[in-house]
Amino acid sequence: MQSSKTNQLRKGLSVRHIRFMALGSAIGTGLFYGSASAIQAAGPAVLIAYMVGGAAVFMVMRALGEMAVHHPVPGSFSHYASHYMGPLAGFLTGWNYVFEMLVVCLADITAFGMYMGFWFPHVDQWIWVLSIVLFIGALNLCHVKIFGEMEFWLSIVKVTAIIAMIVGGAFLMFYGFGKETDHAVGIQNLWEHGGFMPNGIAGVIASLAIVMFAFGGIEVIGITASEAQDPEKTIPKAINAVPIRILLFYGLTLFILMCIYPWNQIGQNGSPFVQIFSSLNISSAANILNIVVITAAVSAINSDIFGAGRMMYGMAQDKQAPKVFTKLTRNGVPWVTVLVMSVVMLLGVYLNYLLPERIFVIIASIATFATVWVWLMILLSQVAMRRKMSKEEVKKLKFPVPFWPIGPAITIAFMAFVIALLGFFKDTQIALIVGCVWVVILTITFFIMRSFQKGDVSQN
């Protein structure tokens, strides 16, 4: 493996930076808007989907944590896949992750323009899209500590808003709306409108595409390892804390939401969270929510550009991406990767004119394919690493994955099931098609690059 001493990225991320970066990446559109689609598919039983999905993601994070603490490197899971399963596996893993981040960023950039249009309806949307691309690009060129601090405060706003919604929703549960409503309020709403599982187990399974999309981005913790202060302590703390917190945020929020509203009324009037603020008789509910969703979008874009940029930097070091991606600023920031990501994001300006009504489900499902693919490769890399280690080496692991080997095996089967699942539903079939075509294109590109590299070596 490449020595960590050659790593030129600056170590400036503390535990709180890393924790909130993962929260910032994973708490965004999937919760504030996507949750309504998941609820409509599964009813109150969507809580089961979030618990199962959260448990699977936790196993992925522990597998990644085992490798990241054992050997923190730029490129993280792409590097591990290359080392333990071969260059093609690493190439596919890294570029699928970059693809995932780009898809989500394009959606969030466009959403940002729409959110700003709420306050400034007479300003062209593309102006806001351009401004956020330039702002986030500039932020990512700063020292990594400044970036981490900004992400910390952006995530604080989101987390505070979610806690406020949980507290406000709980207040409505116990004290009512203060006026007569056309529906009952209480835990009985979880089973009184067609039962706890109104659409059967098929509905729960159908919701998994949106549910797994909601957890996407949390794997950025692994990428921070090479820039973390004392990764042997910071990475385990972040991994053990973040998945549980995200699960609590999603689980508690949706539990309370479905207790104060019948599940079949959620999301009919915009975001489900608008309903909570409006029900609390807060006159500026729409403005408050707009601030929250804007912060959520900026925070998610911020984390995603960081993750994709560092991934391309690590892949360039492994000769799986153009060498130019290894160029750093004086602050130790890979500026070419940030520039490329920013240019690609400008496609969001054009997408504003092309987005159909179903674009969220399409984007979410495409991102789900890329995300679950990356998670699957992380799990397989960890298994491959264990198989190459002696019993003595395994005993020396400082952050071993729990429930070995049954836990990782069950999680691998679950991730493969989620990918196959995309092909069974009409709205998500396009994601499986796009994902498979993308993997084929990457595979062909890999072998073309290898042939050129071999040709260069033979000429020398």
Side-chain angles (χ1 to χ4, degrees):
M1 270 194 174
Q2 182 180 347
S3 171
S4 59
K5 290 181 180 179
T6 63
N7 174 32
Q8 300 175 56
L9 297 176
R10 303 295 174 85
K11 295 183 179 295
L13 297 176
S14 64
V15 178
R16 68 183 175 90
H17 290 150
I18 295 170
R19 282 181 181 174
F20 280 89
M21 277 178 62
L23 283 169
S25 188
I27 296 179
T29 313
L31 175 60
F32 291 113
Y33 285 99
S35 55
S37 301
I39 290 170
Q40 290 305 315
V46 74
L47 293 172
I48 296 176
Y50 276 102
M51 295 303 144
V52 171
V57 169
F58 179 67
M59 287 302 300
V60 172
M61 295 308 298
R62 286 301 301 262
L64 177 57
E66 179 177 294
M67 294 185 290
V69 171
H70 181 62
H71 199 100
V73 291
S76 186
F77 34 88
S78 168
H79 186 92
Y80 303 138
S82 293
H83 185 72
Y84 297 115
M85 295 193 296
L88 177 59
F91 186 82
L92 293 177
T93 302
W95 284 110
N96 260 309
Y97 177 73
V98 173
F99 179 62
E100 170 202 347
M101 295 296 98
L102 281 173
V103 170
V104 175
C105 278
L106 289 176
D108 283 335
I109 291 167
T110 304
F112 175 82
M114 294 175 180
Y115 298 152
M116 293 303 293
F118 175 79
W119 288 325
F120 305 98
H122 301 299
V123 178
D124 290 341
Q125 194 166 299
W126 69 268
I127 294 176
W128 298 117
V129 175
L130 179 62
S131 65
I132 194 61
V133 169
L134 295 176
F135 173 73
I136 297 292
L139 185 61
N140 271 265
L141 290 174
C142 296
H143 190 284
V144 70
K145 188 173 183 179
I146 297 173
F147 162 83
E149 201 66 32
M150 181 71 174
E151 186 58 29
F152 171 76
W153 289 108
L154 287 171
S155 296
I156 280 284
V157 173
K158 284 196 292 189
V159 171
T160 302
I162 292 170
I163 292 172
M165 291 179 208
I166 291 172
V167 172
F171 176 84
L172 293 176
M173 275 182 66
F174 291 109
Y175 297 103
F177 288 80
K179 58 183 178 180
E180 289 296 320
T181 58
D182 59 355
H183 62 268
V185 176
I187 197 170
Q188 68 272 15
N189 275 335
L190 295 180
W191 59 78
E192 282 194 347
H193 302 276
F196 180 71
M197 201 178 288
N199 298 324
I201 191 68
V204 178
I205 292 173
S207 71
L208 282 173
I210 299 296
V211 169
M212 300 311 286
F213 164 75
F215 288 117
I218 193 172
E219 65 278 358
V220 75
I221 289 178
I223 293 176
T224 64
S226 62
E227 292 173 86
Q229 299 166 352
D230 195 4
E232 290 184 7
K233 292 182 179 179
T234 55
I235 298 301
K237 283 183 179 179
I239 285 176
N240 285 333
V242 172
I244 295 170
R245 290 183 184 185
I246 290 178
L247 201 55
L248 284 174
F249 285 143
Y250 276 88
L252 259 182
T253 306
L254 298 183
F255 170 78
I256 288 176
L257 184 62
M258 289 186 290
C259 284
I260 62 178
Y261 284 100
W263 68 271
N264 50 11
Q265 292 184 24
I266 294 173
Q268 292 180 355
N269 300 310
S271 167
F273 297 96
V274 174
Q275 291 177 258
I276 291 183
F277 277 121
S278 298
S279 300
L280 288 168
N281 295 319
I282 299 175
S283 58
S284 57
N287 285 319
I288 292 174
L289 187 81
N290 213 41
I291 292 171
V292 172
V293 293
I294 284 173
T295 305
V298 173
S299 173
I301 296 165
N302 201 25
S303 285
D304 293 343
I305 289 183
F306 172 89
R310 266 48 175 190
M311 177 61 73
M312 287 190 283
Y313 171 82
M315 291 180 71
Q317 286 194 325
D318 287 341
K319 298 181 180 179
Q320 293 189 336
K323 190 177 179 180
V324 69
F325 287 159
T326 60
K327 290 185 178 294
L328 301 174
T329 65
R330 291 181 180 178
N331 292 325
V333 175
W335 66 270
V336 178
T337 64
V338 174
L339 182 64
V340 170
M341 285 289 290
S342 299
V343 170
V344 173
M345 282 200 305
L346 291 175
L347 288 172
V349 179
Y350 184 56
L351 282 176
N352 288 325
Y353 300 99
L354 299 178
L355 291 176
E357 291 181 359
R358 293 191 309 119
I359 193 65
F360 176 75
V361 174
I362 293 172
I363 284 180
S365 53
I366 291 174
T368 298
F369 175 90
T371 301
V372 176
W373 175 284
V374 168
W375 290 343
L376 186 59
M377 298 306 283
I378 289 171
L379 290 162
L380 292 173
S381 298
Q382 187 266 337
V383 171
M385 182 185 81
R386 282 288 188 105
R387 285 182 175 176
K388 292 184 177 182
M389 298 174 77
S390 65
K391 289 184 179 179
E392 289 73 23
E393 288 175 322
V394 171
K395 287 180 181 178
K396 292 179 182 178
L397 287 172
K398 295 178 181 177
F399 192 47
V401 68
F403 311 115
W404 172 267
I406 297 173
I410 293 174
T411 312
I412 287 170
F414 176 74
M415 293 301 172
F417 172 73
V418 172
I419 290 177
L421 185 66
L422 295 173
F424 283 97
F425 299 98
K426 188 177 180 181
D427 285 345
T428 59
Q429 282 175 351
I430 187 172
L432 189 61
I433 295 169
V434 170
C436 289
V437 170
W438 173 245
V439 169
V440 170
I441 292 171
L442 285 177
T443 303
I444 294 170
T445 304
F446 172 81
F447 286 110
I448 292 173
M449 284 177 60
R450 291 279 288 211
S451 64
F452 274 114
Q453 288 172 356
K454 287 179 180 178
D456 290 340
V457 171
S458 62
Q459 286 178 7
N460 293 332

